[in-house]
Amino acid sequence: MTSLRLRCSSLLLAGLLGLPSVAAALDRTQLLDEANLLLLPRARPLPAVELVDQHGEAYRTDALDGRWHLMFVGFTFCPDICPTTLSELRRLLAGLPAPIREQIQVTLVSVDPRRDSPERLQTYLGYYRAGFEGVTGELAELKRLTQALGLPFTPADDATGDYSVAHSANVALVDPAGRLVGHLRAPLAIDALQTILPEVIED
């Protein structure tokens, strides 16, 4: 009887000791839900893709600079989704602690290479005054990258005149090793993201 009581007491104590970790896991899950942030069960390496940045310099996804990247697919002639998302990303960064903010690079992947030259990307992103980066390139390379990022787009059937490009409104979260780790799903929940992103990055 005594040994049974001891075992029961040990089980009860173990359960009580485990409660904080369970509560922490539940809190984290709730925060992720509130932030509309989906983390993948396992990080996915990006393929080696060759593009060009807003300075006209070569950009390779297998040579990322060791920072976290928020990668967004769009184009500079986009009338609504792109300017709204970039403005929200600027607000998101502005509300993060400086040590966290300095670890993050926002990158616009333009899927309209016909109109979005490096010069145009540089001018367009300069409006936001937030250090955003822009890249573009051949459609085949762009498709490889956007598929790996889980951010699909559909090129215009007729790339003449005032055409549009259908694309995802989500933002990919890429770690310093160049791996996709999750998505900030639209609409962006800025306040909740400012709470959970530092935890994700520090972990």
Side-chain angles (χ1 to χ4, degrees):
M1 180 65 70
T2 301
S3 60
L4 178 60
R5 287 175 179 171
L6 287 174
R7 283 199 299 271
C8 289
S9 298
S10 297
L11 289 172
L12 178 60
L13 179 59
L16 290 174
L17 290 174
L19 283 178
S21 60
V22 172
L26 290 174
D27 287 345
R28 181 181 173 88
T29 299
Q30 182 177 351
L31 277 174
L32 289 171
D33 288 343
E34 291 175 355
N36 220 8
L37 174 57
L38 174 66
L39 295 180
L40 302 178
R42 181 175 298 177
R44 302 174 187 169
L46 299 181
V49 173
E50 296 184 5
L51 301 171
V52 61
D53 68 14
Q54 76 271 26
H55 304 296
E57 298 178 358
Y59 177 97
R60 291 180 58 90
T61 52
D62 59 352
L64 294 178
D65 60 8
R67 303 173 75 189
W68 286 83
H69 286 72
L70 295 175
M71 305 189 80
F72 173 65
V73 169
F75 61 111
T76 65
F77 286 85
C78 179
D80 42 33
I81 294 176
C82 299
T84 297
T85 301
L86 290 171
S87 295
E88 289 179 338
L89 289 173
R90 179 178 61 182
R91 185 160 66 91
L92 169 62
L93 292 184
L96 292 174
I100 298 296
R101 183 170 63 248
E102 291 166 1
Q103 297 181 57
I104 300 175
Q105 175 66 58
V106 171
T107 301
L108 169 64
V109 180
S110 170
V111 289
D112 184 15
R114 180 178 176 275
R115 294 181 294 186
D116 284 347
S117 64
E119 294 78 12
R120 178 168 177 82
L121 279 173
Q122 186 173 17
T123 299
Y124 179 78
L125 294 172
Y127 297 146
Y128 295 92
R129 300 181 183 275
F132 292 167
E133 182 177 57
V135 297
T136 191
E138 300 293 331
L139 278 177
E141 292 288 88
L142 291 169
K143 286 181 178 179
R144 289 182 63 218
L145 176 58
T146 57
Q147 287 173 359
L149 290 172
L151 303 176
F153 76 97
T154 304
D157 293 331
D158 182 12
T160 59
D162 187 20
Y163 63 88
S164 186
V165 181
H167 61 88
S168 172
N170 293 337
V171 178
L173 178 62
V174 178
D175 71 10
R179 304 175 303 173
L180 175 69
V181 297
H183 292 101
L184 283 62
R185 294 175 293 185
L188 300 183
I190 303 301
D191 292 342
L193 282 169
Q194 288 170 344
T195 298
I196 193 64
L197 263 184
E199 291 187 19
V200 173
I201 288 175
E202 289 172 348
D203 287 346

